[in-house]
Amino acid sequence: MANHKSSLKRIRQTKTRTLRNRYYAKTMRNAVRKLRAMTDKDEAAKLFPAVQKMLDKLAKKNIIHRNKAANLKSSLAQHINKLG
């Protein structure tokens, strides 16, 4: 176990951040799954801006990599365009 006050504080901070990041990442994955499961183009097009905004925010906060966010947005846009 840690011996210094600062290292104990770092452990607490890391635990808090890990939980928060895990929550945001899980929420993002669920939103992406929900969008991919949609078959109606209009509904998917309505949901897409919200998911896009979420991905941009997470990339900005370094919860996910910016290239991963770009790849997800691109693939979701392709999915929506393929819907009939």
Side-chain angles (χ1 to χ4, degrees):
M1 193 60 199
N3 293 322
H4 297 282
K5 261 188 167 180
S6 61
S7 55
L8 290 171
K9 181 178 178 181
R10 292 310 260 163
I11 290 169
R12 288 196 309 270
Q13 287 177 329
T14 303
K15 198 181 298 184
T16 305
R17 286 194 186 115
T18 302
L19 286 172
R20 188 182 309 127
N21 290 345
R22 197 181 296 161
Y23 167 76
Y24 285 135
K26 185 70 172 176
T27 305
M28 179 261 313
R29 283 196 302 272
N30 287 337
V32 169
R33 277 192 204 115
K34 184 179 177 184
L35 189 59
R36 281 206 179 114
M38 287 187 171
T39 53
D40 184 31
K41 188 170 186 169
D42 294 332
E43 284 182 38
K46 282 181 190 173
L47 184 64
F48 183 60
V51 174
Q52 199 170 11
K53 185 177 177 183
M54 183 188 303
L55 289 169
D56 287 335
K57 280 185 177 179
L58 294 178
K60 186 177 180 182
K61 292 178 182 178
N62 287 324
I63 294 171
I64 61 172
H65 196 274
R66 57 189 162 85
N67 290 348
K68 181 183 176 77
N71 288 336
L72 283 170
K73 287 192 294 186
S74 173
S75 67
L76 290 172
Q78 285 178 345
H79 171 71
I80 291 172
N81 287 332
K82 284 182 185 176
L83 293 176

